[in-house]
Amino acid sequence: MKCALFLLLVACFLVAEGKIFTKCGLVEELNLRNFPRSFIGQWVCMIESESGKDTSKVYAKANGSKNLGLFQINDKGWCEYGKTGGKCDMKCEDLLNENLVDDSACAKKVQGEMGFQAWDGWVRNCKQRNIALPC
């Protein structure tokens, strides 16, 4: 019984690590992380479409891979579980916490290599839209 209670508390703690941003809070965070101001509207639209502004979001894809965190970065090739690695040289688990320093650097790397079309949510909801800064 004590073990089950402990595991429940640990699970609650891990779930509580995430943060859901407001739209203006997200703009502020992206500015703080030096995202180009001319693309912040596109980033906000993509993030809203992909993760709902939730840093702890995990989306399991049909191919067995997972999209992780605020930016929904795919775990195939971009990060490694349990150790730093992948193109972003980071742990996949670190994409699920509130610290967005490494997440932001990785998202910029994905966008630089593949463009915004790397994110299905951006293609569906943001592509070919003139998106003004929300705040």
Side-chain angles (χ1 to χ4, degrees):
M1 181 67 176
K2 289 181 184 179
C3 184
L5 181 60
F6 175 75
L7 290 174
L8 180 62
L9 289 173
V10 169
C12 289
F13 172 75
L14 291 175
V15 170
E17 277 189 78
K19 176 179 181 176
I20 298 175
F21 280 89
T22 64
K23 191 175 278 196
C24 293
L26 181 57
V27 169
E28 186 178 311
E29 184 70 28
L30 295 174
N31 280 323
L32 182 65
R33 302 285 159 233
N34 297 313
F35 281 78
R37 190 154 177 80
S38 59
F39 288 110
I40 287 191
Q42 294 293 323
W43 281 106
V44 169
C45 183
M46 182 279 289
I47 290 166
E48 286 180 321
S49 299
E50 290 283 330
S51 69
K53 303 180 299 260
D54 184 352
T55 64
S56 64
K57 172 86 182 235
V58 176
Y59 175 73
K61 298 186 71 159
N63 67 5
S65 69
K66 292 184 182 98
N67 290 345
L68 305 167
L70 184 72
F71 296 99
Q72 288 294 280
I73 295 169
N74 194 269
D75 62 358
K76 295 290 184 202
W78 296 102
C79 60
E80 294 282 335
Y81 288 98
K83 62 180 181 176
T84 58
K87 291 180 183 179
C88 290
D89 195 33
M90 66 182 298
K91 292 180 185 177
C92 293
E93 297 88 346
D94 290 344
L95 289 166
L96 298 173
N97 61 29
E98 291 183 35
N99 180 349
L100 297 181
V101 173
D102 48 5
D103 306 51
S104 297
C106 187
K108 288 177 189 178
K109 188 173 278 197
V110 172
Q111 197 273 337
E113 192 171 304
M114 302 175 67
F116 282 110
Q117 57 270 11
W119 291 280
D120 293 336
W122 180 85
V123 172
R124 278 191 314 274
N125 300 307
C126 312
K127 185 178 181 179
Q128 298 180 336
R129 283 185 52 202
N130 185 13
I131 301 169
L133 277 178
C135 301

